[in-house]
Amino acid sequence: MAILALWIVMMGLLVQREREARRPVDAPPVEWRQPTETVGAAGPAREQWMGVYLNGTKLGYTVTRRQKQDGILRIEAKSHLLLPLQGEMRAVETESLVEVDAAQYMRSFSFTLDSEMQQMRVTGHVEPDRLVLRIESGGTTATRTIPLEKPITVPDALTPILAGSGRLRANTTHTLDLFDPMALAPAKAMVTIGQPEMIEGVDGPIRVLRAEISYKGFRTTAWVTPEGDTLKEESAMGWTMVRQNREDAMKPPEGDPQTDLVYSAAVPTNRVLKSPRQVKFLRAELTGADFSTLSLATERQQVEAAESGIVEIRREVPEAVRAPRLPVTEPQMKPYLAPDLLIQSDDPAIIETARKIVGRESDSWKAAVRIARWVHREVEKSPTVSVPSALEVLRTRKGDCNEHTVLFVALARAAGIPAEIAVGIVYLNDSFFYHAWPRVWVGQWVSMDPTFGQEVADATHIELVHGGLDRQSEIVRLIGRLRVRIIRAEE
């Protein structure tokens, strides 16, 4: 799952900063002559090294090893990335193993993410009509069973599967069922193979097939050989992976990076707001993407028309509604009180921390304010690449808006306050930036922002989705495409 590391990075871009994206810069030419074969216990294996670049700046490498025995294809992948985040370099390493059966479907997989802030391992195996997942993070282990209507594969196996089944041919289109590693759920990918074309190589032009891969609105272009070997891959925001020899791929980045990941995700806008944290009303137009699957219409955010992209946000007044006493027991709120894979609100450490923070307070809104103030005070603001776990954040007390939000939601649910994660954009220093914050139900839904220290989030918080990982992954397809035009702002 080499590309998964880049997807996680993109999810990690839900943080705030202050610069517009740079224009993409070309990566170096492809270094490819003949696939390397090494001898292992299961026989010859094909090895593929690729340098990873962002707008022409090298950030690391990936290596993929494909080996087949007794009809089972094993795809092992490793990546090592040094990521520029808000003036700091963050190291991220991933390892994965996928087994594909003779019918070209996934049998099992494992994925490990290791960063300065998190160690996470996800494993899964396919049983008849279901996928059984095991997630280890923050010192805890959780399992989930996902019903399957059809056999599935994973993103990194798409072109090898098409090649192995004889379907990697020019001018063809294929729809494949796969496992979405970000949302931990099934999804569909469309692969369109175009005409053969030439790409630049160190020894001259190389004839390849161009594959356009569309996946939940996230688009990747890959240049592949007829055998399914990827020589080059490009995706949003200037990410490029280029086939190289082992020595060149493993060369460390030289000098200071010219692109910051957070800067690259900036959403340009047309106006400067002098006091954005004081904005109580915002009218804005969103353009550049399909918003039909997003959660634009909420209690505080009105949509003029689905096709127009015009939204109006009004900052809530929690005091206008009498808050229920703790614990909140309304039946319709049960989903927002339940623990989740990474929101371990039933863990004794989370429960005990919530109890200490809330104390004897029985008013749900006042209790939510106590939790928000505690999270803002206790969690150090630090740029992070992770899939945050509430227990891990409770232990490290570090992170960006993702970490603040997931810990707040877990503590709120443990205290009996319905809460969920909202993801969208927020105005800061002349641009909008991807951001996460919590919503709580205290007689009405109220958006809070413990990262900024806001008891009620200002109206420049434009919500795009709310809910779990399956909903949050919708954001990836917007990065680099979304634009905002501010029509009116009132303090």
Side-chain angles (χ1 to χ4, degrees):
M1 298 183 188
I3 196 64
L4 177 54
L6 304 188
W7 287 344
I8 288 177
V9 168
M10 291 180 185
M11 289 298 287
L13 291 173
L14 305 181
V15 290
Q16 63 286 343
R17 200 57 168 141
E18 70 268 12
R19 206 162 87 190
E20 292 187 4
R22 297 175 181 266
R23 294 181 60 83
V25 178
D26 288 339
V30 170
E31 298 179 31
W32 181 82
R33 293 176 179 85
Q34 196 64 32
T36 301
E37 291 196 354
T38 59
V39 177
R46 298 169 75 97
E47 201 168 71
Q48 172 179 299
W49 290 82
M50 302 188 80
V52 179
Y53 295 81
L54 177 63
N55 291 330
T57 298
K58 187 174 186 182
L59 299 183
Y61 67 86
T62 71
V63 55
T64 303
R65 192 168 184 264
R66 286 160 45 193
Q67 193 169 36
K68 197 167 187 179
Q69 184 182 37
D70 299 329
I72 303 300
L73 174 64
R74 290 168 55 91
I75 305 174
E76 298 178 73
K78 295 182 179 181
S79 73
H80 177 83
L81 302 173
L82 283 174
L83 306 174
L85 286 171
Q86 297 179 292
E88 300 181 30
M89 298 301 292
R90 299 293 189 184
V92 181
E93 293 185 347
T94 68
E95 292 189 15
S96 66
L97 171 63
V98 180
E99 290 190 337
V100 179
D101 65 20
Q104 310 294 325
Y105 296 120
M106 185 179 76
R107 289 185 7 156
S108 64
F109 80 93
S110 66
F111 174 78
T112 302
L113 169 71
D114 191 351
S115 70
E116 297 172 48
M117 297 293 293
Q118 183 184 40
Q119 287 186 325
M120 179 182 182
R121 178 175 171 81
V122 182
T123 60
H125 65 273
V126 176
E127 298 180 357
D129 302 322
R130 65 178 184 170
L131 173 64
V132 180
L133 295 178
R134 177 185 174 94
I135 300 97
E136 301 172 37
S137 180
T140 64
T141 300
T143 59
R144 173 186 286 184
T145 299
I146 299 174
L148 296 178
E149 295 181 359
K150 298 180 180 179
I152 56 173
T153 185
V154 292
D156 271 12
L158 291 179
T159 51
I161 283 175
L162 291 176
S165 60
R167 291 179 288 168
L168 191 60
R169 301 189 305 272
N171 302 318
T172 58
T173 298
H174 312 275
T175 300
L176 292 92
D177 293 276
L178 52 73
F179 172 68
D180 180 346
M182 284 196 306
L184 301 178
K188 287 185 180 295
M190 179 174 290
V191 182
T192 300
I193 311 299
Q195 287 277 13
E197 58 182 73
M198 309 300 287
I199 62 171
E200 181 185 3
V202 292
D203 295 328
I206 303 171
R207 185 179 177 85
V208 292
L209 291 170
R210 179 188 179 107
E212 299 285 350
I213 303 169
S214 178
Y215 162 68
K216 295 187 72 171
F218 177 71
R219 299 181 187 278
T220 298
T221 302
W223 288 264
V224 300
T225 68
E227 294 76 32
D229 289 318
T230 300
L231 303 190
K232 185 177 181 180
E233 190 165 325
E234 293 181 352
S235 52
M237 293 170 48
W239 284 102
T240 304
M241 296 199 299
V242 178
R243 185 71 170 266
Q244 295 179 320
N245 61 52
R246 177 189 175 111
E247 181 181 351
D248 288 342
M250 293 188 71
K251 284 181 180 177
E254 297 179 359
D256 295 328
Q258 298 300 306
T259 301
D260 187 289
L261 291 177
V262 180
Y263 299 157
S264 295
V267 178
T269 189
N270 62 314
R271 284 179 54 182
V272 173
L273 300 179
K274 294 183 178 180
S275 303
R277 304 290 75 83
Q278 305 306 314
V279 173
K280 296 180 179 179
F281 172 83
L282 181 74
R283 179 178 171 86
E285 181 183 24
L286 309 181
T287 58
D290 176 13
F291 306 115
S292 61
T293 62
L294 304 182
S295 308
L296 293 183
T298 68
E299 293 75 13
R300 76 181 223 138
Q301 186 168 292
Q302 305 301 311
V303 180
E304 184 174 280
E307 62 277 6
S308 73
I310 294 178
V311 297
E312 291 186 350
I313 302 102
R314 290 175 173 81
R315 190 172 184 170
E316 304 96 326
V317 182
E319 297 80 6
V321 176
R322 184 172 180 176
R325 293 177 62 84
L326 294 180
V328 175
T329 57
E330 277 77 353
Q332 67 271 26
M333 291 295 115
K334 287 184 67 176
Y336 309 104
L337 291 164
D340 202 349
L341 289 172
L342 301 174
I343 301 176
Q344 303 97 334
S345 54
D346 58 346
D347 186 88
I350 296 286
I351 294 171
E352 177 62 15
T353 303
R355 185 190 65 79
K356 290 180 178 178
I357 296 169
V358 173
R360 295 177 178 270
E361 182 58 67
S362 61
D363 181 285
S364 57
W365 169 242
K366 292 179 180 178
V369 169
R370 287 192 180 190
I371 294 171
R373 290 174 177 173
W374 185 90
V375 171
H376 178 71
R377 181 180 66 249
E378 295 294 327
V379 179
E380 178 185 338
K381 283 45 177 183
S382 177
T384 305
V385 178
S386 70
V387 180
S389 150
L391 270 174
E392 193 116 36
V393 181
L394 183 63
R395 178 181 62 83
T396 62
R397 305 288 176 94
K398 287 184 178 182
D400 52 44
C401 60
N402 291 308
E403 284 71 26
H404 285 70
T405 299
V406 75
L407 179 57
F408 174 94
V409 170
L411 292 169
R413 291 182 180 183
I417 306 168
E420 69 172 348
I421 296 172
V423 177
I425 54 177
V426 67
Y427 185 93
L428 184 72
N429 295 349
D430 304 342
S431 293
F432 282 89
F433 291 84
Y434 290 93
H435 190 54
W437 62 92
R439 303 184 342 140
V440 295
W441 191 84
V442 287
Q444 64 173 325
W445 284 104
V446 177
S447 293
M448 309 181 77
D449 195 332
T451 310
F452 286 176
Q454 290 187 305
E455 295 174 8
V456 182
D458 64 75
T460 73
H461 289 67
I462 302 178
E463 183 177 327
L464 300 174
V465 298
H466 53 255
L469 285 174
D470 56 334
R471 295 291 292 137
Q472 295 169 40
S473 63
E474 291 277 347
I475 293 294
V476 174
R477 65 182 176 84
L478 304 179
I479 297 177
R481 301 167 62 189
L482 181 62
R483 299 290 183 271
V484 179
R485 181 174 69 91
I486 297 174
I487 300 172
R488 189 167 83 251
E490 299 175 4
E491 296 182 10

